[in-house]
């Protein structure tokens, strides 16, 4: 059976590069379009021409689903809709995170902007991963990859990125310390029976490259192969050797 993969955000160049590569593996793909309060959903006419062509040939190759980070219910709804649209349970969640720079100085930021940064990134992405975890813990062969762009940002953007790096490192550490490792990847332990383990994998990357295609290719490799030290936050530069320490 084909793997089903949910990728976000739809607008990220790395997600679009991943689409082109993952389509060749036979995966059934869906993409989350992240909607913020100031945004309106993109009209179908705004789809890139090549994406429209893909949709005509293989509708499952470019399934778009909306997600509102401000709504906890929206995360659950997005996953349910993904599985409904793809026709089977979700196998993989791929997140390409790149928080915006935000105001240059903290003094220029409004109270609402500060709160929104926390809600849209630290809280919303944790909620989305939480919903995916609940689905994956009782199934075999599921994976989550969180690829966080390492870039210069303003105070709010840095706070958002720091929250995501902290979330990734905390999840990896909790799996490694209290549960099990299988092939270098984090494996979640089932609650009952105690000795049973579920080969669920959580992998995270610090993206220091300047190539969307290189990152997309490496994420696909992480999903398809058992990589050494994949139970740790990986630093990806895009240079020879793929991962740098």
């Amino acid at each position: 059976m084909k793997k089903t993969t949910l990728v976000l955000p739809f607008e990220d160049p790395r997600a679009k590069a991943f689409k082109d590569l993952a389509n060749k593996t036979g995966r059934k793909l869906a993409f989350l379009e992240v909607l913020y309060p100031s945004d309106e959903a993109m009209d179908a006419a705004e789809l890139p021409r090549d994406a429209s062509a893909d949709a005509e040939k293989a509708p499952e190759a470019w399934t778009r689903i909306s997600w509102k980070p401000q709504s906890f219910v929206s995360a659950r709804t997005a996953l349910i809709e993904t599985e409904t649209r793809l026709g089977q349970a979700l196998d993989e969640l791929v997140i390409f995170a790149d928080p915006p720079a935000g105001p240059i100085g903290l003094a220029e930021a409004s109270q609402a902007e500060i709160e929104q940064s926390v809600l849209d990134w630290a809280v919303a992405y944790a909620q989305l991963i939480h919903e995916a975890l609940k689905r994956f813990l009782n199934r075999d062969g599921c994976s989550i990859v969180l690829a966080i762009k390492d870039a210069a940002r303003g105070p709010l953007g840095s706070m958002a990125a720091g929250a995501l790096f902290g979330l990734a490192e905390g999840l990896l550490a909790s799996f490694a310390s209290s549960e099990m490792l299988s092939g270098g990847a984090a494996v979640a332990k089932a609650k009952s029976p105690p000795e049973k383990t579920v080969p669920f994998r959580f992998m995270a990357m610090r993206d220091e490259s300047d190539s969307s295609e290189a990152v997309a290719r490496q994420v696909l490799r992480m999903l398809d192969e058992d990589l050494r030290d994949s139970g740790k936050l990986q630093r990806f530069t895009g240079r020879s050797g793929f991962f740098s320490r």
Side-chain angles (χ1 to χ4, degrees):
M1 183 178 292
K2 291 183 178 180
K3 288 257 186 186
T4 56
T5 308
L6 179 61
V7 187
L8 73 146
F10 164 82
E11 300 84 359
D12 194 298
R14 296 170 298 173
K16 296 181 180 180
F18 182 86
K19 173 189 74 72
D20 294 335
L21 296 171
N23 274 340
K24 299 175 183 178
T25 68
R27 282 175 166 82
K28 299 173 69 174
L29 302 175
F31 295 82
L32 280 192
E33 180 182 5
V34 184
L35 301 180
Y36 297 103
S38 59
D39 299 334
E40 292 184 358
M42 292 174 61
D43 186 84
E46 296 180 25
L47 276 170
R49 183 171 299 177
D50 62 331
S52 299
D54 286 345
E56 291 178 5
K57 296 178 181 177
E60 74 278 8
W62 197 259
T63 300
R64 282 172 50 191
I65 296 163
S66 297
W67 172 51
K68 296 180 179 180
Q70 303 78 18
S71 169
F72 293 155
V73 176
S74 183
R76 184 180 297 111
T77 301
L79 294 184
I80 293 173
E81 184 176 354
T82 297
E83 294 179 332
T84 299
R85 298 272 294 275
L86 296 182
Q88 66 186 72
L90 186 65
D91 297 309
E92 300 169 337
L93 174 64
V94 176
I95 301 173
F96 293 103
D98 185 11
I104 299 300
L106 188 60
E108 289 78 18
S110 67
Q111 185 67 31
E113 287 174 319
I114 295 173
E115 293 178 355
Q116 205 63 55
S117 181
V118 174
L119 291 173
D120 286 350
W121 296 95
V123 178
Y125 278 77
Q127 180 69 17
L128 185 65
I129 293 175
H130 168 72
E131 290 297 329
L133 282 173
K134 291 195 299 183
R135 282 169 165 72
F136 292 171
L137 284 175
N138 295 317
R139 296 181 52 240
D140 292 346
C142 297
S143 302
I144 295 177
V145 176
L146 174 57
I148 308 165
K149 186 71 176 177
D150 188 49
R153 298 180 175 91
L156 296 189
S158 297
M159 180 177 68
L164 290 172
F165 281 122
L167 175 63
E169 291 174 336
L171 283 170
L172 289 167
S174 67
F175 286 135
S177 63
S178 63
E179 295 163 354
M180 294 185 63
L181 293 178
S182 174
V187 174
K189 183 181 291 184
K191 292 183 179 179
S192 178
E195 68 277 6
K196 181 182 178 182
T197 60
V198 180
F200 154 74
R201 300 190 302 160
F202 175 83
M203 297 164 283
M205 172 202 296
R206 180 187 294 270
D207 173 16
E208 298 181 6
S209 74
D210 56 4
S211 169
S212 297
E213 184 176 350
V215 175
R217 192 177 301 281
Q218 183 60 18
V219 168
L220 193 59
R221 182 174 174 232
M222 292 167 72
L223 290 169
D224 289 342
E225 301 177 16
D226 288 331
L227 300 182
R228 180 174 175 269
D229 290 336
S230 60
K232 300 179 181 179
L233 179 64
Q234 304 293 327
R235 176 179 170 229
F236 181 72
T237 64
R239 296 190 288 272
S240 179
F242 292 102
F243 284 133
S244 302
R245 294 179 180 272

